[in-house]
Amino acid sequence: MSNLFGFDGGDTWLHHLSGATKMLAFVGISIIAMASYDLRFTAAIMVMSLILFYQAKIKWSQVSLVVKIITAFSLLNLITVYLFSPEYGVQLYGTRHLLFGSGYLTVTSEQLFYELNLLSKYIVTVPLALIFLITTNPSEFAASLNKIHLSYKVSYSVALALRYIPDIQNVYHQISLSQQARGYELSKKAKFSQRLKGSAQILMPLIFSSLDRIDTVSQAMELRRFGRKKHRTWYMDHPFAWQDWLTLAGTAAIILIGAWLFKVNGGRFYNPFR
Amino acid sequence: MAKNKQSSNELFSVRTVVAIGIGTAIIFILKRWVSIPTGFPNTNIDTSYGFLGFMSVLFGPVAGFIMGFLGHALNDFTQYGTPWWTWVFTTGLVGGVIGLFWKRLDVSKGDFGKKKLIGYNVVSGLTNLIAWAAIAPTLDVLVYSEPANKVYIQGLISAVSNIISGAVIGSILLAAYAASRTRSGSLKKED
Amino acid sequence: MSKPAIIFDHVTYQYDSQAEPTLHDINLTINQGEKVLIIGPSGSGKSTLGNLINGLIPHAIPGKITGQVTVMGQDVENSSLFDLSLHVGTVLQDPDSQFVGLTAAEDIAFAMENDATPQAEMKTRVRQWATTLGIKDQLGQSPQALSGGQKQRTAMAGVLVDEGDVLLFDEPLAALDPATGKQSIELIDDLHRRLGITVVIIEHRLEEVLAQPVDRVIVMQDGRIIANETPEALLKTPLLREIGLREPLYLEALDLAGIDFNDTTGITSVNTIEAPNLKQKLSDWLTGEPAHQKPAGLKPLLAIKDLTFGYPKGPKLFDHFDLTINRGDMLALVGENGVGKTTLSQLITGFVKPDAGTMTFAGADLATQSVKERADQIGYIMQDPNQMISKIKIFDEVALGLTLRGVDEATIKAKVEDALKICGLYPFRNWPISALSFGQKKRVTIASILTLSPQLLILDEPTAGQDWRHYTAMMRFLEKLNRDSGITMLLITHDMHLMLEYATRTVVLGHSGILLDAEPAKVLTEPAIIKQARLAETSLYTLAKRMDMDPFAFTAAVIAHERQERHV
Ligand SMILES: Nc1ncnc2c1ncn2[C@@H]1O[C@H](COP(=O)(O)OP(=O)(O)OP(=O)(O)O)[C@@H](O)[C@H]1O
Ligand SMILES: Nc1ncnc2c1ncn2[C@@H]1O[C@H](COP(=O)(O)OP(=O)(O)OP(=O)(O)O)[C@@H](O)[C@H]1O
Ligand SMILES: [Mg+2]
Ligand SMILES: [Mg+2]
């Protein structure tokens, strides 16, 4: 894996959007979806993000693994919530429609509805996140962060993080290989406990070589004048186009609708039981 | 005489920028691949908290906050599709608060004696405790409206495991780092 | 005309961690528009001197300076790194550490980005320099997917884009194939002449640098400047030899033929050198030399069949590739930058997995063996020392393999100390590796594999960045291992003379498989292959041609002579 973002240079309008636009849209939508407990609203967002997902022409094989992990994680969380507070929905919505069960483990419509809301929150932005990961060029992304007035030093840290995740994974791999080449068995042929110990052994050199690297890389950057001026330009910069403005306007509209629903519902919760 | 112009003491030097980048990458990788099962179901000692404590002491509060925030956000984002913003923010906070003590806990000269060891563990322990047992779950209730008993128990378990990670791994790293600093004037060719 | 660009005035420098100064009382003036070469044994302080010019010392690496360094009128100690970097462009020695961009293109553009150059201009300039340096196709690649030589060229491009007053190159040639090395030196010379910039080159490969005119050569030893002369004057003295540096090869031949260098003219190039009766003396000497026969291995040790491999998304590097390495071979693997030499060694050691094909080692199928099991028989020294080093202290690093094999401590100590002595590192054994020069680091990795006595030893560019004394000591030891203990060697190298002198067999790797598999000297008789694989003929060969002698026999005779001298 040489590219964390799984970036795949395609040619849809989503690929051409600026990284910052996509990030702002993602953050905006994920925050309003996080705040809202109106299933109609989150479901609508879900439908929209699936349509976008389709438009980005992403192949199922590119995302199947992460979708499976997310499903498992969401189910686990829903079950935990139920086990801890089977009547939490009743408490929130103020009515009680018992479906079945008795004693502690009861199942009510309110609880089911509440958990459905939770589920929609867990997954509503997933297609958007995947779109972001697959259609955003990491370098362009860093450049675009700077354009939305994040300080260029912070933007560059983000760029460096993205640059070094695959690199350090690689270093981890290299150190592991070179340890094995010196006689440390870490392949499937070793016992599990030995492999565990082995990976711990790799961490130290990994961390310490990274500290050295911080020094040499910052020296190399200073030699090429990073930090000298108040501004810098970006090789991978990409001008904002009307699609960007339109996307941002759309995002703002969604946020406004979400906020308006707060008012209509008299709070964060949409309550169908009353 | 040369003035020591090493920029390591500034809050946001070029070195800090690089440290944030590389530190974030390592946090990401630790979160992803290196967790030690505690024996409790579904709980891991997340080694990244030890590393975060260590890096915050080395590079200060700004670096600590951004590293924690970004590392956690990137991991959530690529693993679950949604950053769990409350916990992401709390991780940043942990890095930032431990980082506030970087001048006092300075190990770059190679001394990490008993006093600093205790100092670090107190700072890291308290920060992690307050962050995970109180701040993160409270934010969860406020923002996500999750059941309180669930999130506080989750918080408590994380608090315990992160305190352990912060203490054990952080101390080991700090001690090793201090030991690796060659004292000035100590290198001589030997026959 | 001769305004000074760089002035060292009684400069002594001591790294914070060192007990003694690394540079002693340096006095040096380099004028604007001059081109200066700095040579000296590994660890003599060349990179340290370079870092005083670009300001990394003292601004990023702490230490104690006395005296004053002035660069383009600025006092280095009291001006910022930024101001200095506008005047001095540096290509650092360690190719990996200087990459910051996500792709080669961004890395080249980095300085321009920081100067807030408009994007369109950056794009044209990046394209232009990438074309000049032959890395146009790699622009979109991430730095870790570049071969050693491609990395070095990217780094060069990144500095050349911003056309400072002084260009400082710390071993620009170490990882380049001979033809590219020659081109780079021509390129540097062209820049020097066209732009009138001051050029400082630190390099072990003296002969290659002297292929283009150099104003002065500065020789360092133990942190002092021991000579500061024109190349002509320097080459006429025996100084280089005395301090363990290699003279140009053609001079060695002249020396063998008993020619006094003081009688020569045009000594700096094999194409211009003249001496009274030169031709006569050389051919007299040649007839006096007996012909030499080299032994060759017979029983196969490693058989590679039908190997197919390409990195994901990359082109196929190997397509139904076959190669058999015989027991006792001292095999040199040569070929252009990026052709897949390192990749081949990583396929053999199991670092990367082939797409198809079989590899059989001593009768056993390698595919079923883990990296560790392969390593019990195959020692591998990687091209980039930083990728191998995992301990803080030198001794621990060299001992690592033995410790992991559970060898007892007394044996470890004895073996490690032996290996350290062979590699000239014994005095430093208790130092942290971070306090070593680049060449010293590389030797640490060699020492750490020498302790393991494998059946096959793969050395990826063992002599890059080494001075002649250490190079010879190591190569002799390897040769002895090969001769006495029958250890098979696979040497990956860009050094033609190393190949001729030490290898018993040469494999030339090309883009479509093996171009030639023969006795080393045979390579030189095939101009088409030399061209295709971007190799170069040695100056011995050129000299013989110029003198109308049989170049093949002449080269063989000089090398045979050197070998004999070694074995007595
Ligand atoms: N960061 C450092 N801290 C302490 N000592 C150092 C440091 N860097 C180099 N040295 C020491 O200074 C001496 C000179 O090193 P330098 O890198 O200048 O050598 P060099 O001539 O460039 O060698 P090479 O040809 O191998 O690159 C070496 O003995 C080395 O141990
Ligand atoms: N990890 C990698 N991922 C993708 N491509 C790679 C990777 N490593 C190397 N390559 C590519 O494979 C080709 C062969 O690289 P390799 O390092 O084997 O070359 P080499 O013959 O050793 O060159 P050099 O003499 O410059 O060291 C190069 O074009 C390089 O860009
Ligand atoms: Mg050097
Ligand atoms: Mg290579």
mmCIF file of all heavy atoms in Angstrom, chain C residues 515-553:
data_model
loop_
_atom_site.group_PDB
_atom_site.id
_atom_site.type_symbol
_atom_site.label_atom_id
_atom_site.label_comp_id
_atom_site.label_asym_id
_atom_site.label_seq_id
_atom_site.Cartn_x
_atom_site.Cartn_y
_atom_site.Cartn_z
ATOM 1 N N LEU C 515 22.110 -8.821 -20.684
ATOM 2 C CA LEU C 515 22.730 -8.394 -21.932
ATOM 3 C C LEU C 515 24.015 -9.176 -22.199
ATOM 4 O O LEU C 515 24.399 -9.394 -23.340
ATOM 5 C CB LEU C 515 23.057 -6.901 -21.891
ATOM 6 C CG LEU C 515 21.869 -5.939 -21.785
ATOM 7 C CD1 LEU C 515 22.359 -4.514 -21.630
ATOM 8 C CD2 LEU C 515 20.985 -6.063 -23.012
ATOM 9 N N LEU C 516 24.672 -9.542 -21.107
ATOM 10 C CA LEU C 516 25.947 -10.225 -21.264
ATOM 11 C C LEU C 516 26.252 -10.961 -19.975
ATOM 12 O O LEU C 516 25.984 -10.470 -18.884
ATOM 13 C CB LEU C 516 27.056 -9.197 -21.533
ATOM 14 C CG LEU C 516 28.448 -9.764 -21.744
ATOM 15 C CD1 LEU C 516 28.604 -10.225 -23.175
ATOM 16 C CD2 LEU C 516 29.505 -8.723 -21.415
ATOM 17 N N ASP C 517 26.803 -12.155 -20.092
ATOM 18 C CA ASP C 517 27.197 -12.914 -18.913
ATOM 19 C C ASP C 517 28.547 -13.509 -19.256
ATOM 20 O O ASP C 517 28.632 -14.486 -19.996
ATOM 21 C CB ASP C 517 26.145 -14.004 -18.643
ATOM 22 C CG ASP C 517 26.506 -14.857 -17.434
ATOM 23 O OD1 ASP C 517 27.627 -14.695 -16.905
ATOM 24 O OD2 ASP C 517 25.668 -15.675 -17.023
ATOM 25 N N ALA C 518 29.599 -12.882 -18.802
ATOM 26 C CA ALA C 518 30.919 -13.315 -19.244
ATOM 27 C C ALA C 518 31.977 -12.900 -18.236
ATOM 28 O O ALA C 518 31.686 -12.328 -17.194
ATOM 29 C CB ALA C 518 31.238 -12.705 -20.603
ATOM 30 N N GLU C 519 33.193 -13.188 -18.607
ATOM 31 C CA GLU C 519 34.341 -12.758 -17.824
ATOM 32 C C GLU C 519 34.357 -11.216 -17.827
ATOM 33 O O GLU C 519 34.055 -10.600 -18.855
ATOM 34 C CB GLU C 519 35.565 -13.324 -18.523
ATOM 35 C CG GLU C 519 36.869 -13.037 -17.892
ATOM 36 C CD GLU C 519 38.002 -13.409 -18.846
ATOM 37 O OE1 GLU C 519 37.727 -14.155 -19.828
ATOM 38 O OE2 GLU C 519 39.106 -12.952 -18.632
ATOM 39 N N PRO C 520 34.701 -10.570 -16.712
ATOM 40 C CA PRO C 520 34.554 -9.116 -16.622
ATOM 41 C C PRO C 520 35.184 -8.330 -17.767
ATOM 42 O O PRO C 520 34.557 -7.430 -18.319
ATOM 43 C CB PRO C 520 35.229 -8.781 -15.295
ATOM 44 C CG PRO C 520 35.082 -10.015 -14.488
ATOM 45 C CD PRO C 520 35.104 -11.159 -15.428
ATOM 46 N N ALA C 521 36.405 -8.677 -18.122
ATOM 47 C CA ALA C 521 37.101 -7.853 -19.108
ATOM 48 C C ALA C 521 36.400 -7.871 -20.463
ATOM 49 O O ALA C 521 36.531 -6.955 -21.262
ATOM 50 C CB ALA C 521 38.545 -8.318 -19.255
ATOM 51 N N LYS C 522 35.614 -8.910 -20.685
ATOM 52 C CA LYS C 522 34.894 -9.034 -21.944
ATOM 53 C C LYS C 522 33.917 -7.858 -22.145
ATOM 54 O O LYS C 522 33.697 -7.412 -23.274
ATOM 55 C CB LYS C 522 34.135 -10.369 -21.929
ATOM 56 C CG LYS C 522 33.377 -10.709 -23.179
ATOM 57 C CD LYS C 522 34.303 -11.437 -24.132
ATOM 58 C CE LYS C 522 33.707 -11.906 -25.441
ATOM 59 N NZ LYS C 522 32.433 -11.515 -25.849
ATOM 60 N N VAL C 523 33.385 -7.373 -21.049
ATOM 61 C CA VAL C 523 32.425 -6.276 -21.124
ATOM 62 C C VAL C 523 32.995 -5.111 -21.910
ATOM 63 O O VAL C 523 32.311 -4.472 -22.710
ATOM 64 C CB VAL C 523 32.047 -5.794 -19.705
ATOM 65 C CG1 VAL C 523 31.136 -4.585 -19.762
ATOM 66 C CG2 VAL C 523 31.409 -6.913 -18.920
ATOM 67 N N LEU C 524 34.295 -4.863 -21.684
ATOM 68 C CA LEU C 524 34.902 -3.678 -22.278
ATOM 69 C C LEU C 524 35.070 -3.790 -23.781
ATOM 70 O O LEU C 524 35.252 -2.809 -24.478
ATOM 71 C CB LEU C 524 36.257 -3.423 -21.632
ATOM 72 C CG LEU C 524 36.144 -3.177 -20.138
ATOM 73 C CD1 LEU C 524 37.506 -3.012 -19.530
ATOM 74 C CD2 LEU C 524 35.287 -1.955 -19.873
ATOM 75 N N THR C 525 35.024 -5.017 -24.283
ATOM 76 C CA THR C 525 35.215 -5.172 -25.725
ATOM 77 C C THR C 525 33.898 -5.064 -26.471
ATOM 78 O O THR C 525 33.841 -5.291 -27.665
ATOM 79 C CB THR C 525 35.853 -6.546 -26.036
ATOM 80 O OG1 THR C 525 34.962 -7.553 -25.556
ATOM 81 C CG2 THR C 525 37.196 -6.688 -25.372
ATOM 82 N N GLU C 526 32.848 -4.735 -25.771
ATOM 83 C CA GLU C 526 31.528 -4.671 -26.403
ATOM 84 C C GLU C 526 30.943 -3.262 -26.303
ATOM 85 O O GLU C 526 30.118 -2.991 -25.435
ATOM 86 C CB GLU C 526 30.558 -5.640 -25.699
ATOM 87 C CG GLU C 526 31.032 -7.054 -25.604
ATOM 88 C CD GLU C 526 30.575 -7.900 -26.785
ATOM 89 O OE1 GLU C 526 29.786 -7.396 -27.607
ATOM 90 O OE2 GLU C 526 31.020 -9.051 -26.879
ATOM 91 N N PRO C 527 31.352 -2.379 -27.192
ATOM 92 C CA PRO C 527 30.886 -0.983 -27.087
ATOM 93 C C PRO C 527 29.364 -0.871 -27.107
ATOM 94 O O PRO C 527 28.794 -0.011 -26.425
ATOM 95 C CB PRO C 527 31.475 -0.311 -28.324
ATOM 96 C CG PRO C 527 32.470 -1.254 -28.887
ATOM 97 C CD PRO C 527 32.222 -2.602 -28.340
ATOM 98 N N ALA C 528 28.703 -1.756 -27.818
ATOM 99 C CA ALA C 528 27.245 -1.674 -27.900
ATOM 100 C C ALA C 528 26.631 -1.900 -26.519
ATOM 101 O O ALA C 528 25.699 -1.199 -26.112
ATOM 102 C CB ALA C 528 26.721 -2.703 -28.892
ATOM 103 N N ILE C 529 27.184 -2.866 -25.815
ATOM 104 C CA ILE C 529 26.651 -3.162 -24.486
ATOM 105 C C ILE C 529 26.981 -2.036 -23.503
ATOM 106 O O ILE C 529 26.155 -1.631 -22.691
ATOM 107 C CB ILE C 529 27.184 -4.519 -23.993
ATOM 108 C CG1 ILE C 529 26.470 -5.597 -24.797
ATOM 109 C CG2 ILE C 529 26.966 -4.696 -22.501
ATOM 110 C CD1 ILE C 529 26.827 -6.983 -24.435
ATOM 111 N N ILE C 530 28.190 -1.538 -23.610
ATOM 112 C CA ILE C 530 28.560 -0.415 -22.751
ATOM 113 C C ILE C 530 27.562 0.716 -22.903
ATOM 114 O O ILE C 530 27.084 1.298 -21.932
ATOM 115 C CB ILE C 530 29.978 0.082 -23.090
ATOM 116 C CG1 ILE C 530 30.996 -0.986 -22.688
ATOM 117 C CG2 ILE C 530 30.274 1.412 -22.412
ATOM 118 C CD1 ILE C 530 32.406 -0.547 -22.700
ATOM 119 N N LYS C 531 27.207 0.980 -24.133
ATOM 120 C CA LYS C 531 26.286 2.062 -24.401
ATOM 121 C C LYS C 531 24.886 1.741 -23.868
ATOM 122 O O LYS C 531 24.268 2.526 -23.162
ATOM 123 C CB LYS C 531 26.232 2.298 -25.917
ATOM 124 C CG LYS C 531 25.503 3.538 -26.318
ATOM 125 C CD LYS C 531 26.227 4.238 -27.471
ATOM 126 C CE LYS C 531 25.486 5.496 -27.876
ATOM 127 N NZ LYS C 531 24.399 5.224 -28.829
ATOM 128 N N GLN C 532 24.444 0.537 -24.183
ATOM 129 C CA GLN C 532 23.093 0.148 -23.819
ATOM 130 C C GLN C 532 22.908 0.097 -22.303
ATOM 131 O O GLN C 532 21.864 0.493 -21.789
ATOM 132 C CB GLN C 532 22.805 -1.224 -24.414
ATOM 133 C CG GLN C 532 21.352 -1.459 -24.728
ATOM 134 C CD GLN C 532 21.148 -2.858 -25.278
ATOM 135 O OE1 GLN C 532 22.063 -3.478 -25.818
ATOM 136 N NE2 GLN C 532 19.937 -3.367 -25.140
ATOM 137 N N ALA C 533 23.904 -0.399 -21.586
ATOM 138 C CA ALA C 533 23.763 -0.551 -20.134
ATOM 139 C C ALA C 533 24.288 0.670 -19.397
ATOM 140 O O ALA C 533 24.396 0.658 -18.180
ATOM 141 C CB ALA C 533 24.489 -1.805 -19.672
ATOM 142 N N ARG C 534 24.623 1.719 -20.129
ATOM 143 C CA ARG C 534 25.124 2.951 -19.550
ATOM 144 C C ARG C 534 26.337 2.719 -18.650
ATOM 145 O O ARG C 534 26.433 3.268 -17.560
ATOM 146 C CB ARG C 534 24.024 3.703 -18.811
ATOM 147 C CG ARG C 534 22.815 3.984 -19.729
ATOM 148 C CD ARG C 534 21.803 4.892 -19.104
ATOM 149 N NE ARG C 534 22.362 6.161 -18.663
ATOM 150 C CZ ARG C 534 22.561 7.218 -19.452
ATOM 151 N NH1 ARG C 534 22.271 7.153 -20.725
ATOM 152 N NH2 ARG C 534 23.049 8.328 -18.954
ATOM 153 N N LEU C 535 27.239 1.884 -19.133
ATOM 154 C CA LEU C 535 28.501 1.682 -18.426
ATOM 155 C C LEU C 535 29.520 2.637 -19.023
ATOM 156 O O LEU C 535 29.174 3.493 -19.821
ATOM 157 C CB LEU C 535 28.957 0.233 -18.593
ATOM 158 C CG LEU C 535 27.915 -0.815 -18.201
ATOM 159 C CD1 LEU C 535 28.414 -2.198 -18.517
ATOM 160 C CD2 LEU C 535 27.578 -0.688 -16.728
ATOM 161 N N ALA C 536 30.787 2.456 -18.647
ATOM 162 C CA ALA C 536 31.807 3.303 -19.252
ATOM 163 C C ALA C 536 33.077 2.478 -19.363
ATOM 164 O O ALA C 536 33.307 1.572 -18.566
ATOM 165 C CB ALA C 536 32.055 4.527 -18.390
ATOM 166 N N GLU C 537 33.873 2.799 -20.353
ATOM 167 C CA GLU C 537 35.153 2.104 -20.388
ATOM 168 C C GLU C 537 36.076 2.756 -19.366
ATOM 169 O O GLU C 537 35.924 3.935 -19.047
ATOM 170 C CB GLU C 537 35.747 2.131 -21.792
ATOM 171 C CG GLU C 537 35.947 3.511 -22.364
ATOM 172 C CD GLU C 537 36.473 3.444 -23.798
ATOM 173 O OE1 GLU C 537 36.095 2.504 -24.550
ATOM 174 O OE2 GLU C 537 37.272 4.314 -24.149
ATOM 175 N N THR C 538 37.010 1.978 -18.823
ATOM 176 C CA THR C 538 37.912 2.576 -17.837
ATOM 177 C C THR C 538 38.979 3.376 -18.569
ATOM 178 O O THR C 538 39.193 3.203 -19.769
ATOM 179 C CB THR C 538 38.613 1.491 -16.999
ATOM 180 O OG1 THR C 538 39.441 0.744 -17.877
ATOM 181 C CG2 THR C 538 37.596 0.588 -16.333
ATOM 182 N N SER C 539 39.666 4.207 -17.811
ATOM 183 C CA SER C 539 40.668 5.046 -18.460
ATOM 184 C C SER C 539 41.867 4.215 -18.922
ATOM 185 O O SER C 539 42.608 4.620 -19.807
ATOM 186 C CB SER C 539 41.112 6.166 -17.527
ATOM 187 O OG SER C 539 41.641 5.637 -16.343
ATOM 188 N N LEU C 540 42.055 3.032 -18.313
ATOM 189 C CA LEU C 540 43.127 2.153 -18.780
ATOM 190 C C LEU C 540 42.866 1.779 -20.239
ATOM 191 O O LEU C 540 43.752 1.784 -21.084
ATOM 192 C CB LEU C 540 43.146 0.862 -17.958
ATOM 193 C CG LEU C 540 43.619 0.975 -16.533
ATOM 194 C CD1 LEU C 540 43.534 -0.379 -15.858
ATOM 195 C CD2 LEU C 540 45.049 1.506 -16.508
ATOM 196 N N TYR C 541 41.621 1.475 -20.460
ATOM 197 C CA TYR C 541 41.206 1.056 -21.784
ATOM 198 C C TYR C 541 41.410 2.188 -22.789
ATOM 199 O O TYR C 541 41.960 2.016 -23.863
ATOM 200 C CB TYR C 541 39.734 0.647 -21.694
ATOM 201 C CG TYR C 541 39.272 -0.206 -22.833
ATOM 202 C CD1 TYR C 541 39.451 -1.589 -22.789
ATOM 203 C CD2 TYR C 541 38.655 0.354 -23.937
ATOM 204 C CE1 TYR C 541 39.018 -2.387 -23.829
ATOM 205 C CE2 TYR C 541 38.219 -0.442 -24.977
ATOM 206 C CZ TYR C 541 38.398 -1.814 -24.919
ATOM 207 O OH TYR C 541 37.966 -2.594 -25.945
ATOM 208 N N THR C 542 40.966 3.379 -22.367
ATOM 209 C CA THR C 542 41.110 4.545 -23.238
ATOM 210 C C THR C 542 42.584 4.825 -23.530
ATOM 211 O O THR C 542 42.972 5.110 -24.664
ATOM 212 C CB THR C 542 40.503 5.778 -22.548
ATOM 213 O OG1 THR C 542 39.298 5.386 -21.906
ATOM 214 C CG2 THR C 542 40.231 6.883 -23.521
ATOM 215 N N LEU C 543 43.376 4.709 -22.477
ATOM 216 C CA LEU C 543 44.809 4.979 -22.639
ATOM 217 C C LEU C 543 45.420 4.018 -23.662
ATOM 218 O O LEU C 543 46.134 4.430 -24.580
ATOM 219 C CB LEU C 543 45.512 4.828 -21.281
ATOM 220 C CG LEU C 543 47.019 5.043 -21.286
ATOM 221 C CD1 LEU C 543 47.344 6.502 -21.593
ATOM 222 C CD2 LEU C 543 47.638 4.645 -19.954
ATOM 223 N N ALA C 544 45.096 2.740 -23.506
ATOM 224 C CA ALA C 544 45.663 1.747 -24.413
ATOM 225 C C ALA C 544 45.249 2.027 -25.859
ATOM 226 O O ALA C 544 46.054 1.942 -26.784
ATOM 227 C CB ALA C 544 45.223 0.350 -23.992
ATOM 228 N N LYS C 545 43.979 2.390 -26.017
ATOM 229 C CA LYS C 545 43.521 2.685 -27.376
ATOM 230 C C LYS C 545 44.309 3.850 -27.972
ATOM 231 O O LYS C 545 44.715 3.835 -29.125
ATOM 232 C CB LYS C 545 42.027 3.019 -27.371
ATOM 233 C CG LYS C 545 41.147 1.789 -27.491
ATOM 234 C CD LYS C 545 39.752 2.106 -28.018
ATOM 235 C CE LYS C 545 39.063 3.157 -27.202
ATOM 236 N NZ LYS C 545 37.604 3.128 -27.276
ATOM 237 N N ARG C 546 44.500 4.858 -27.108
ATOM 238 C CA ARG C 546 45.220 6.033 -27.594
ATOM 239 C C ARG C 546 46.628 5.679 -28.010
ATOM 240 O O ARG C 546 47.214 6.275 -28.905
ATOM 241 C CB ARG C 546 45.277 7.068 -26.465
ATOM 242 C CG ARG C 546 44.648 8.404 -26.818
ATOM 243 C CD ARG C 546 44.939 9.424 -25.740
ATOM 244 N NE ARG C 546 46.190 10.109 -25.945
ATOM 245 C CZ ARG C 546 46.897 10.653 -24.949
ATOM 246 N NH1 ARG C 546 46.481 10.571 -23.712
ATOM 247 N NH2 ARG C 546 48.019 11.274 -25.211
ATOM 248 N N MET C 547 47.206 4.689 -27.301
ATOM 249 C CA MET C 547 48.593 4.329 -27.564
ATOM 250 C C MET C 547 48.689 3.197 -28.585
ATOM 251 O O MET C 547 49.733 2.548 -28.701
ATOM 252 C CB MET C 547 49.261 3.891 -26.253
ATOM 253 C CG MET C 547 49.306 4.968 -25.196
ATOM 254 S SD MET C 547 50.368 6.320 -25.720
ATOM 255 C CE MET C 547 49.418 7.714 -25.181
ATOM 256 N N ASP C 548 47.570 2.901 -29.241
ATOM 257 C CA ASP C 548 47.545 1.824 -30.230
ATOM 258 C C ASP C 548 47.993 0.480 -29.675
ATOM 259 O O ASP C 548 48.669 -0.294 -30.357
ATOM 260 C CB ASP C 548 48.428 2.165 -31.456
ATOM 261 C CG ASP C 548 47.900 3.400 -32.144
ATOM 262 O OD1 ASP C 548 46.659 3.535 -32.224
ATOM 263 O OD2 ASP C 548 48.731 4.223 -32.560
ATOM 264 N N MET C 549 47.676 0.231 -28.421
ATOM 265 C CA MET C 549 48.000 -1.084 -27.884
ATOM 266 C C MET C 549 46.709 -1.876 -27.807
ATOM 267 O O MET C 549 45.625 -1.345 -27.965
ATOM 268 C CB MET C 549 48.597 -0.936 -26.488
ATOM 269 C CG MET C 549 49.931 -0.235 -26.520
ATOM 270 S SD MET C 549 50.747 -0.287 -24.934
ATOM 271 C CE MET C 549 49.732 0.733 -23.966
ATOM 272 N N ASP C 550 46.849 -3.169 -27.530
ATOM 273 C CA ASP C 550 45.643 -3.979 -27.371
ATOM 274 C C ASP C 550 45.003 -3.621 -26.025
ATOM 275 O O ASP C 550 45.548 -3.947 -24.971
ATOM 276 C CB ASP C 550 46.027 -5.462 -27.401
ATOM 277 C CG ASP C 550 44.818 -6.341 -27.110
ATOM 278 O OD1 ASP C 550 43.698 -5.788 -26.934
ATOM 279 O OD2 ASP C 550 44.996 -7.577 -27.065
ATOM 280 N N PRO C 551 43.880 -2.906 -26.043
ATOM 281 C CA PRO C 551 43.338 -2.404 -24.776
ATOM 282 C C PRO C 551 42.942 -3.531 -23.834
ATOM 283 O O PRO C 551 43.078 -3.421 -22.612
ATOM 284 C CB PRO C 551 42.099 -1.602 -25.197
ATOM 285 C CG PRO C 551 41.868 -1.861 -26.627
ATOM 286 C CD PRO C 551 43.047 -2.567 -27.204
ATOM 287 N N PHE C 552 42.463 -4.609 -24.394
ATOM 288 C CA PHE C 552 42.030 -5.727 -23.580
ATOM 289 C C PHE C 552 43.195 -6.311 -22.799
ATOM 290 O O PHE C 552 43.160 -6.456 -21.581
ATOM 291 C CB PHE C 552 41.411 -6.770 -24.516
ATOM 292 C CG PHE C 552 40.738 -7.880 -23.809
ATOM 293 C CD1 PHE C 552 39.492 -7.667 -23.218
ATOM 294 C CD2 PHE C 552 41.331 -9.131 -23.714
ATOM 295 C CE1 PHE C 552 38.857 -8.692 -22.558
ATOM 296 C CE2 PHE C 552 40.692 -10.158 -23.055
ATOM 297 C CZ PHE C 552 39.453 -9.944 -22.468
ATOM 298 N N ALA C 553 44.274 -6.578 -23.537
ATOM 299 C CA ALA C 553 45.453 -7.172 -22.902
ATOM 300 C C ALA C 553 46.064 -6.204 -21.896
ATOM 301 O O ALA C 553 46.489 -6.596 -20.801
ATOM 302 C CB ALA C 553 46.482 -7.537 -23.962
#
